[in-house]
Amino acid sequence: MIYALFLIWVAVSSSSAQQFYDPSGCSSDTSNQGSRYTCDSAQQPCRTFLVYRANQHFGHQNLLNISALFQVESDELLDLNNIASPLETLKRGREVLVPIICSCSGEYFQASLSYIVSERTSFPEIACGVFEGLLKSLTLLQENPSQGTDVETGVKLDVPLRCACPGGFARFNGVKYLVTYPILEGDGITPLSMKFSIAPEDLLAANHLEPKSTVYPNTTVLVPLKSDPVINLNVPDSPPPTPGFLPTITVEKTKNTKLRKLYIAGSVVGFFLIVVALLACGFYVKAVKKWKGERLQSFTDRNSVLSCSTARSSPRSGQTGRSSTNSCLSPDLLAGIKFSLYNYGIEDIKRATNDFNEDTNKIGEQVYKGLIDNESVMIKQMRFEDTRQVIDMHSKINHVNIVSLHGVCYGENDFAWSYLIFELPTNGCLRNCLSNQANRLSWRRRTQIAFDVATILHYLHYCIFPSYAHMSVNSRNIYVTSKWRAKLANIGSTLAISASSMNDKVVTVNGLVAPQNPMNEAASVKVDVFAFGVVLLELISGKEAAQGTFLKDSIRFLGGGANEGGCFEQLRSFIDPCLKNEYLIAEALCLAILAKACIEDDPLRRPSMDDILKVLGRMV
């Protein structure tokens, strides 16, 4: 039921966010869908903008005259349009942004102005000339029914200019303004989108237009903007459309056999050259594929022998790397591999961790924090055989959302223990950030962190070969940088394994049981999806997943059985109280529904990280 309500809300909001384009001209006496932009009477007024062009014919050649016409302060126009003086004569056709207040009157949006006629004129002249098509003459006549065809001097007219406010779903997508733009001869979708630095698809969607649609002069379109409007005046207008016919000059036909033969010979030679070029391209592509295959095989063969990465001496410690004929980590054996690490001495590690002080430096099981050259690092003690696997994994991946591996220390006692040195992001692990009441994590930062974690899991699942299941995604393995971006740790550890090497039917993730089918490559990555769903629940609620099934039970109301009002109340009670009301309930509902889908008992019903990334991409 809640899924249905959510889908209905999306559909209704989407339809109300899109207005229709009216292709009929300003002076047309027909009223079409889009002649005026529709609204819901419950919608609140909004501040938006329209575009007006300097026009000497009607005396609006500077900002002082334009501000008087639209009844706004000239200083506001100066700041908005980067013009030095309100008396500066503007170039004919220079586009000017004008701020307006758009409100819902009855069933239509409008910006209400009054206009006093300075000389005898007509409604089309006022609507299409003075106001440059920002309303239809029919609309102006309907708003002033007491006037005749001609309008006498001194008459005061009510002018309802076209405008619109973003609907619920448009605001959800970040649309802040819908700018009314009058179309002139030569205007088109592509140059107009370039003029406002938006995607052509967004412009088409805001006006209910199909791809390759034509816009006509003396009409208006709505330009959807996610920030304050800025017009790029350097973008040239589209060339005017080609006329229906061209003047021609009758010429006498002459027969020229020699010229005809020359054309035929040129065509044959050109065709032959094209065939040769295509054959050459085919041979080239085949040769490149063969070369890549041989290179990949060579790399695989070399990796099967070495299967780990170079360690180099750290210039910080001043030591030279030790070699061992028994160690695959020996720099002497791995000098040919490009991936390299600093080789730290055990004294460097002891000095960084205050001799492994458990009171001040220990941050986890066999994990310590420390300083090396005034840089915060995380030092993890591991058995030698496990160290090789971690280094091998880090040598194959490169991603901004992975905690970087800086170096290695072989330890003492014939390499029984080794130490890996990682970067330590400034804000520590996500669990600590969620528990920090003094510096609470805002909703915007939480959605960004969710997107970052989804990005790196998508990379591990789809962008490396073979695909890789982390198997240990939780809020303590996610670290947060000084810019509040997420990084995933524990890549290549014994808990994280190749996606094709699992056979367990039940996996425990963050205190919750994630049932599994016998695991193949496709099913194993679903364990990461389940764990990601648990992380989403922690981001929403602020509670730790160590509380067992509490988090999962807390969102059972999303499965149905509760009315709409009760659902939202239960959702609000589930959301971290530290957030107060500083979040969008629609985003929270979407995130909760996504989390619930991720922790489905049946792995095949869980979404892929590709699907998850598409949903979260609309929130950041």
Side-chain angles (χ1 to χ4, degrees):
M1 173 182 150
I2 298 303
Y3 292 102
L5 289 173
F6 181 68
L7 291 174
I8 291 171
W9 176 83
V10 169
V12 171
S13 299
S14 299
S15 62
S16 64
Q18 292 179 320
Q19 299 289 348
F20 286 87
Y21 170 71
D22 178 12
S24 63
C26 167
S27 58
S28 171
D29 58 358
T30 60
S31 182
N32 303 315
Q33 189 177 30
S35 293
R36 300 183 73 176
Y37 299 130
T38 58
C39 66
D40 181 352
S41 58
Q43 285 187 269
Q44 297 297 315
C46 69
R47 183 178 186 267
T48 186
F49 302 85
L50 56 81
V51 174
Y52 188 81
R53 296 179 178 88
N55 190 331
Q56 295 181 357
H57 178 71
F58 293 100
H60 304 127
Q61 70 272 22
N62 57 45
L63 290 190
L64 190 64
N65 295 331
I66 295 174
S67 64
L69 177 65
F70 291 97
Q71 298 158 28
V72 296
E73 295 294 331
S74 58
D75 290 343
E76 193 172 4
L77 295 186
L78 288 174
D79 297 335
L80 196 57
N81 294 279
N82 196 24
I83 296 174
S85 168
L87 296 176
E88 177 184 339
T89 300
L90 303 178
K91 181 181 176 182
R92 181 177 177 271
R94 204 281 197 190
E95 293 176 340
V96 176
L97 283 166
V98 180
I100 56 173
I101 300 299
C102 186
S103 58
C104 184
S105 177
E107 57 181 322
Y108 299 113
F109 281 118
Q110 66 181 46
S112 300
L113 299 180
S114 59
Y115 174 74
I116 299 177
V117 179
S118 58
E119 60 182 14
R120 191 182 186 197
T121 183
S122 64
F123 282 104
E125 187 72 4
I126 297 172
C128 308
V130 176
F131 289 97
E132 300 180 347
L134 290 169
L135 77 162
K136 296 184 73 168
S137 59
L138 178 62
T139 305
L140 187 61
L141 178 61
Q142 291 171 344
E143 198 74 10
N144 301 272
S146 61
Q147 301 299 323
T149 304
D150 293 330
V151 187
E152 299 296 334
T153 305
V155 171
K156 183 177 181 181
L157 299 177
D158 294 323
V159 182
L161 300 179
R162 283 174 173 169
C163 66
C165 298
F169 199 73
R171 290 196 303 271
F172 178 73
N173 284 333
V175 175
K176 192 174 180 182
Y177 304 109
L178 292 173
V179 177
T180 308
Y181 186 93
I183 301 295
L184 284 183
E185 187 79 27
D187 278 331
I189 294 296
T190 300
L192 185 53
S193 61
M194 292 172 60
K195 190 171 291 187
F196 287 90
S197 302
I198 63 172
E201 295 79 11
D202 293 343
L203 186 59
L204 291 170
N207 295 276
H208 234 87
L209 289 170
E210 296 295 329
K212 298 184 180 179
S213 295
T214 302
V215 291
Y216 299 92
N218 299 318
T219 63
T220 64
V221 294
L222 292 173
V223 182
L225 299 180
K226 297 183 178 181
S227 58
D228 291 342
V230 176
I231 300 179
N232 184 356
L233 299 176
N234 295 322
V235 176
D237 292 333
S238 299
T242 306
F245 63 91
L246 293 174
T248 58
I249 301 175
T250 304
V251 295
E252 182 181 353
K253 293 184 179 180
T254 59
K255 294 183 179 180
N256 194 330
T257 306
K258 186 176 180 180
L259 185 61
R260 180 184 301 175
K261 289 181 178 179
L262 184 61
Y263 285 154
I264 294 173
S267 301
V268 172
V269 172
F271 177 76
F272 176 75
L273 291 176
I274 291 173
V275 172
V276 171
L278 290 175
L279 289 174
C281 289
F283 284 123
Y284 174 76
V285 170
K286 186 175 181 180
V288 168
K289 287 184 177 179
K290 183 178 179 181
W291 175 76
K292 286 185 176 179
E294 291 174 351
R295 186 176 180 184
L296 178 62
Q297 183 62 40
S298 173
F299 175 79
T300 304
D301 294 342
R302 182 174 62 180
N303 235 22
S304 63
V305 176
L306 301 177
S307 188
C308 53
S309 307
T310 305
R312 65 181 179 183
S313 301
S314 169
R316 306 171 186 175
S317 63
Q319 297 184 4
T320 58
R322 295 185 290 173
S323 301
S324 170
T325 56
N326 300 324
S327 171
C328 81
L329 291 173
S330 168
D332 298 334
L333 294 177
L334 300 173
I337 300 181
K338 292 182 179 180
F339 178 76
S340 61
L341 299 172
Y342 287 121
N343 182 15
Y344 296 95
I346 188 63
E347 293 303 320
D348 295 326
I349 305 303
K350 288 182 177 180
R351 186 163 49 250
T353 60
N354 293 321
D355 202 11
F356 301 104
N357 189 312
E358 296 196 359
D359 295 330
T360 59
N361 292 78
K362 190 170 185 179
I363 59 175
E365 186 176 357
Q366 297 180 330
V367 181
Y368 297 83
K369 65 179 180 179
L371 282 175
I372 296 181
D373 285 354
N374 293 322
E375 181 180 353
S376 295
V377 294
M378 180 167 48
I379 300 169
K380 188 170 185 177
Q381 184 181 20
M382 305 181 71
R383 297 197 63 82
F384 176 74
E385 54 269 25
D386 298 332
T387 304
R388 171 179 173 174
Q389 180 177 334
V390 175
I391 295 178
D392 185 54
M393 190 64 201
H394 276 269
S395 71
K396 299 174 182 176
I397 60 177
N398 180 27
H399 199 279
V400 69
N401 295 118
I402 290 178
V403 171
S404 300
L405 175 61
H406 288 339
V408 61
C409 172
Y410 300 131
E412 299 174 313
N413 301 325
D414 195 25
F415 306 111
W417 288 97
S418 298
Y419 301 89
L420 291 178
I421 295 87
F422 297 89
E423 67 168 317
L424 180 59
T426 305
N427 285 309
C429 72
L430 175 60
R431 180 68 258 156
N432 291 344
C433 292
L434 290 171
S435 303
N436 187 350
Q437 301 295 324
N439 188 16
R440 61 185 178 84
L441 206 57
S442 69
W443 179 257
R444 187 55 54 204
R445 288 173 178 171
R446 295 184 196 215
T447 55
Q448 181 63 61
I449 288 170
F451 179 77
D452 289 343
V453 177
T455 300
I456 183 54
L457 290 178
H458 180 274
Y459 172 81
L460 295 175
H461 292 180
Y462 295 98
C463 301
I464 62 174
F465 181 81
S467 60
Y468 181 79
H470 187 278
M471 298 299 295
S472 187
V473 177
N474 60 64
S475 58
R476 296 189 181 276
N477 276 339
I478 298 168
Y479 286 81
V480 183
T481 69
S482 59
K483 295 183 178 180
W484 303 99
R485 304 301 296 270
K487 291 196 172 195
L488 187 60
N490 258 17
I491 301 292
S493 67
T494 53
L495 289 177
I497 59 179
S498 171
S500 58
S501 63
M502 299 179 53
N503 294 303
D504 294 337
K505 293 185 179 181
V506 175
V507 178
T508 302
V509 179
N510 295 345
L512 298 177
V513 175
Q516 300 301 320
N517 296 324
M519 292 217 175
N520 53 28
E521 181 175 342
S524 61
V525 295
K526 295 296 186 176
V527 177
D528 285 351
V529 174
F530 185 96
F532 179 75
V534 177
V535 172
L536 283 183
L537 293 178
E538 291 193 46
L539 286 168
I540 297 170
S541 68
K543 300 179 178 68
E544 188 169 7
Q547 300 176 34
T549 60
F550 172 75
L551 290 179
K552 190 171 183 180
D553 291 339
S554 297
I555 59 167
R556 290 193 183 278
F557 65 89
L558 293 174
N563 58 40
E564 181 181 353
C567 166
F568 286 118
E569 285 306 314
Q570 292 182 66
L571 178 61
R572 287 189 178 94
S573 65
F574 178 68
I575 295 173
D576 191 345
C578 291
L579 291 172
K580 299 180 181 178
N581 290 322
E582 298 174 8
Y583 58 87
L584 293 174
I585 191 64
E587 283 192 6
L589 177 61
C590 184
L591 219 58
I593 291 175
L594 181 61
K596 186 178 186 301
C598 291
I599 61 175
E600 285 284 350
D601 289 338
D602 183 358
L604 299 181
R605 296 184 62 186
R606 299 171 197 162
S608 67
M609 290 311 304
D610 189 52
D611 297 329
I612 293 169
L613 202 59
K614 290 175 182 176
V615 174
L616 293 175
R618 301 175 68 88
M619 293 189 185
V620 296

